[in-house]
Amino acid sequence: MQPIYIITIILSIAVLINIFIKIKDRKLIINELIFWILILAVLILISVFPGFAVKAAHFFGFKSGFDFFIAISILTIFLFLFNIYKKMRLLEEKLTRLNENIAIKYTIENSQCPDLKKSGHEDNADIKLI
């Protein structure tokens, strides 16, 4: 077994231990746990059985296992990027709604107009905060 494979196995196990520590501290959700375990399992599988990567590469039309690994890595990075973008957009929308609701509440509470204060908005029943 080549040294790079041994290093990959050791690093994969170290990352796996780190993941379980983060799960214990509740800093990682179950979906992320499953994803990282799958990635690490594939890395360990490729390190233990290097011929598997070559066979998979040829099956998918790549000339070498390294090309296949790079293509899969780039695809995975794009999926991560898309997922992060979706989460960012959702947070931006929630932040915008929260700011609008705070502005409405502030306007009602500090209004000099007695009609606005008497309209039943003083309990903020129709203002739905996130």
Side-chain angles (χ1 to χ4, degrees), residues 52-67:
F52 176 75
V54 174
K55 288 180 184 177
H58 289 294
F59 178 78
F60 288 107
F62 292 92
K63 295 196 185 284
S64 71
F66 184 74
D67 293 342

Side-chain angles (χ1 to χ4, degrees), residues 101-113 116-124 126-127:
N101 289 332
I102 290 171
I104 291 170
K105 181 179 178 182
Y106 178 80
T107 302
I108 291 171
E109 289 175 353
N110 296 320
S111 174
Q112 299 297 324
C113 179
L116 187 59
K117 287 186 176 181
K118 291 181 184 178
S119 66
H121 292 287
E122 58 272 347
D123 63 358
N124 299 321
D126 65 334
I127 298 176

Side-chain angles (χ1 to χ4, degrees), residues 1-117:
M1 184 178 280
Q2 294 181 4
I4 189 70
Y5 297 135
I6 295 170
I7 292 170
T8 302
I9 292 170
I10 292 170
L11 288 177
S12 296
I13 291 171
V15 170
L16 192 60
I17 290 169
N18 188 19
I19 287 172
F20 282 117
I21 290 171
K22 287 187 182 215
I23 283 291
K24 185 178 147 194
D25 295 340
R26 299 191 186 272
K27 293 182 180 178
L28 198 66
I29 59 175
I30 194 73
N31 292 344
E32 293 171 348
L33 170 73
I34 292 170
F35 176 78
W36 285 112
I37 287 177
L38 286 174
I39 294 292
L40 294 172
V42 168
L43 278 174
I44 292 171
L45 181 71
I46 290 172
S47 296
V48 173
F49 306 107
F52 176 75
V54 174
K55 288 180 184 177
H58 289 294
F59 178 78
F60 288 107
F62 292 92
K63 295 196 185 284
S64 71
F66 184 74
D67 293 342
F68 179 64
F69 177 74
I70 294 297
I72 294 299
S73 297
I74 290 171
L75 179 64
T76 304
I77 290 169
F78 278 130
L79 290 174
F80 257 140
L81 186 62
F82 177 72
N83 196 14
I84 289 170
Y85 176 75
K86 274 189 348 187
K87 287 179 182 180
M88 185 184 69
R89 289 295 304 153
L90 180 63
L91 287 173
E92 284 177 352
E93 290 172 10
K94 285 182 178 182
L95 185 60
T96 300
R97 282 184 290 183
L98 181 63
N99 284 335
E100 290 170 352
N101 289 332
I102 290 171
I104 291 170
K105 181 179 178 182
Y106 178 80
T107 302
I108 291 171
E109 289 175 353
N110 296 320
S111 174
Q112 299 297 324
C113 179
D115 293 337
L116 187 59
K117 287 186 176 181

